[in-house]
Amino acid sequence: MAGESSSTVAAGDNAKALSALAGTLDVASSTSFTAPGQVSVVASGGTAVLAYTGTGSGTLTGVTIVSGTATWTLATGNAVTGGSSIAAGDNGTALSALAGTLDVASSTSFTATGQVSVMTASGTAVLAYTGTGAGTLTGVTVVSGTPTWTLATGNAVTQATVAGTGGGGYGTGGGGGVGTNTGNAGNGGRAASLSLIHI
């Protein structure tokens, strides 16, 4: 199963313009990336999408610009996230018109189910999906964003972190007592317990 891949820009590409990459992006680690693929890279002017054809020790190779401006510069530590971009089939499509399927250049770097952040002309939308196909995410629903926002070929699509849910509820205590257990939402939040012992 494909998983989320991420790294950061390495010192070798600090202050380098996208146009000066000469086909190679230096990253802190390339081990989580599969080739070929696409990555979203935080740059001086925004988030660029780069396609690559191979990986080396601390490098992505065969790099070309999918979206972003050639003069945007990189900085050491900027996020490099595995993902993809909007494919031509969804160019000009509103979020409300996706009909459950998002066309992407490649679906190989995404988990089998999850959420993605999608750049649109109006802002960043978050979409949930339940499956992947060849160049598609399926079972797509809008989590955040406006239904009228439209997509464009080359817009970045990256794996999003799904917020966790907290514990809580009511339970029976041991030793002849009654116990309650409440939790604060937030992925393993603090829990407070109260037991009443009958004597």
Side-chain angles (χ1 to χ4, degrees), residues 33-165:
F33 297 101
T34 56
Q38 292 188 350
V39 289
S40 294
V41 183
V42 174
S44 61
T47 300
V49 176
L50 306 177
Y52 64 95
T53 59
T55 62
S57 177
T59 60
L60 302 180
T61 58
V63 170
T64 55
I65 300 170
V66 175
S67 67
T69 302
T71 56
W72 288 356
T73 58
L74 304 174
T76 303
N78 282 7
V80 179
T81 307
S84 190
S85 60
I86 298 297
D90 278 338
N91 187 51
T93 302
L95 296 180
S96 59
L98 288 175
T101 301
L102 180 68
D103 293 336
V104 292
S106 172
S107 59
T108 58
S109 68
F110 297 107
T111 57
T113 63
Q115 294 183 358
V116 289
S117 295
V118 182
M119 298 296 292
T120 75
S122 303
T124 301
V126 175
L127 307 178
Y129 65 95
T130 59
T132 62
T136 61
L137 302 180
T138 57
V140 170
T141 55
V142 178
V143 175
S144 67
T146 302
T148 56
W149 287 357
T150 57
L151 306 173
T153 303
N155 283 5
V157 181
T158 57
Q159 192 82 55
T161 302
V162 180
T165 57

Side-chain angles (χ1 to χ4, degrees), residues 170-174 177-181 194-196:
Y170 175 84
T172 57
V178 176
T180 60
N181 181 24
L194 171 65
S195 294
L196 303 174

